[in-house]
Amino acid sequence: MNSGIKPYKDSDKSKKEQVATMFDNVSSNYDVLNRFMTLGIDVGWRKKVIALVEKNKPKTILDIATGTGDFAIMMASLSPEKIIGLDLSKGMLAKGIEKVKAKKLEHLIEMMIGDAENLPFEDNYFDAITVGFGVRNFENLDRGLQEIYRVLKPGGIFAVLETSQPEKFPFKQGYKFYCKYIIPTIGRLGSKDKKAYTYLPESAAVFPYGKNFNNILEKNGFNTAKNIPLTFGAASIYTATK
C-alpha cells in the first residue's frame, strides 16, 4: 500500500526523501511544538504503550521512526539488554543522541539512521518493536510492515501509537477544525518548515485507522491485532504479535 500524500507536493523526490528532509527541517524545535500541540497528552499515550510492551519483558527492542528518541528513552525503564532507535532523519537523530547522552543511556540505546522498509537486521531478532507516529510516513506501508514482521521474534510484540479520527459528535468536528486550522497555524508561527505542519494532519486524515489498520496488520502476517482508542479517538494504540 503506497501513500499518495507527500510533504512537498511540488517536489519530484520520493516520499521517503521528502519525509527525511521535512523532519531535518523541524528537528530543532520539534519536541517543543509537539508537546504544545498535544497539550502534553502524548506523554500519557506513550506511557500506555510502554506498559503494554512491558508485559513481554523484552530484552531487545527496536523503535522505528524514533525521531528524537522519546520512546527509546522511556523504554529504558523496562531494563532491556539493548534498544535501537532508527530513523530516516539525521536532524532528529542528532537531537535524540543529545537526549540519550543527557540521560547517560549510551550503554543501552543506540541511535542509527535507517529505513523501515529495508531494515538492516537479521530475521527474528527483536523481542519488541514500536513505532510512534511514524507508520503513516512509510512510503510503502505493506513493505514496512513486512520488514517489521521479518525482524520480530516469534511471540514478540509489535506496538504502534498513531493518530486516528474521532467518530462521535462533537469530538469529530472539533478534531477536524483543530487539524485543519490550529496545527498549520502553530506550524507557521513556530517552525521554519511551514509545509510540515500541513502535511502532518493531511497524512493523519488518510491513514487507515482502527479496524482497517488491524486488517492490514493481519494481512501482512501479524496475529491478534487489536486497537485501543485514546482521548475520544484522537489517537490509537495498535498491538499485534508474530
Side-chain angles (χ1 to χ4, degrees):
M1 174 183 290
N2 291 288
S3 171
I5 301 291
K6 298 179 181 179
Y8 310 108
K9 298 178 178 64
D10 55 352
S11 172
D12 293 330
K13 291 184 177 180
S14 68
K15 179 175 180 177
K16 209 172 292 184
E17 292 172 306
Q18 291 188 33
V19 166
T21 297
M22 178 189 74
F23 281 110
D24 284 345
N25 290 343
V26 303
S27 60
S28 61
N29 58 358
Y30 177 81
D31 283 343
V32 173
L33 286 179
N34 194 42
R35 293 291 103 78
F36 182 73
M37 285 190 293
T38 66
L39 304 176
I41 295 173
D42 67 296
V43 176
W45 295 344
R46 293 173 191 275
K47 288 179 179 179
K48 291 180 184 294
V49 175
I50 302 302
L52 292 170
V53 171
E54 184 178 20
K55 295 177 182 179
N56 272 46
K57 298 180 172 56
K59 295 301 181 185
T60 51
I61 302 173
L62 172 63
D63 183 40
I64 294 173
T66 195
T68 63
D70 281 347
F71 255 151
I73 290 168
M74 291 175 74
M75 284 187 290
S77 65
L78 305 183
S79 301
E81 295 173 359
K82 184 69 176 180
I83 301 170
I84 295 177
L86 180 139
D87 203 281
L88 284 171
S89 167
K90 293 180 180 179
M92 296 288 274
L93 285 172
K95 288 291 180 182
I97 290 169
E98 290 177 5
K99 290 163 67 172
V100 168
K101 287 182 178 178
K103 297 283 186 180
K104 301 187 186 317
L105 292 171
E106 306 101 303
H107 66 287
L108 177 62
I109 301 174
E110 178 184 356
M111 303 289 277
M112 64 182 292
I113 195 159
D115 179 3
E117 296 168 38
N118 188 25
L119 293 171
F121 307 110
E122 298 175 2
D123 295 356
N124 308 314
Y125 190 84
F126 294 99
D127 297 305
I129 300 177
T130 57
V131 185
F133 303 112
V135 289
R136 73 181 190 274
N137 296 324
F138 288 4
E139 187 165 58
N140 187 312
L141 180 57
D142 288 331
R143 174 63 181 165
L145 293 177
Q146 289 160 14
E147 274 290 271
I148 290 166
Y149 183 86
R150 178 182 67 80
V151 302
L152 185 65
K153 287 181 182 178
I157 183 172
F158 176 42
V160 173
L161 174 61
E162 190 53 87
T163 55
S164 54
Q165 303 288 318
E167 296 180 343
K168 294 182 179 180
F169 177 86
F171 307 109
K172 179 178 179 179
Q173 290 74 13
Y175 181 80
K176 286 185 175 180
F177 179 86
Y178 186 76
C179 288
K180 186 174 182 179
Y181 298 106
I182 304 302
I183 291 179
T185 299
I186 294 172
R188 283 194 297 271
L189 295 174
S191 171
K192 67 178 183 180
D193 189 334
K194 298 171 178 57
K195 291 183 179 180
Y197 290 92
T198 300
Y199 161 77
L200 292 173
E202 284 181 350
S203 62
V206 300
F207 183 75
Y209 66 93
K211 291 182 180 179
N212 290 328
F213 188 60
N214 290 343
N215 292 337
I216 292 170
L217 287 168
E218 292 180 350
K219 182 188 75 172
N220 284 289
F222 291 96
N223 301 311
T224 61
K226 300 176 183 177
N227 65 293
I228 304 169
L230 304 168
T231 315
F232 308 109
S236 292
I237 297 171
Y238 302 88
T239 59
T241 57
K242 177 175 178 178

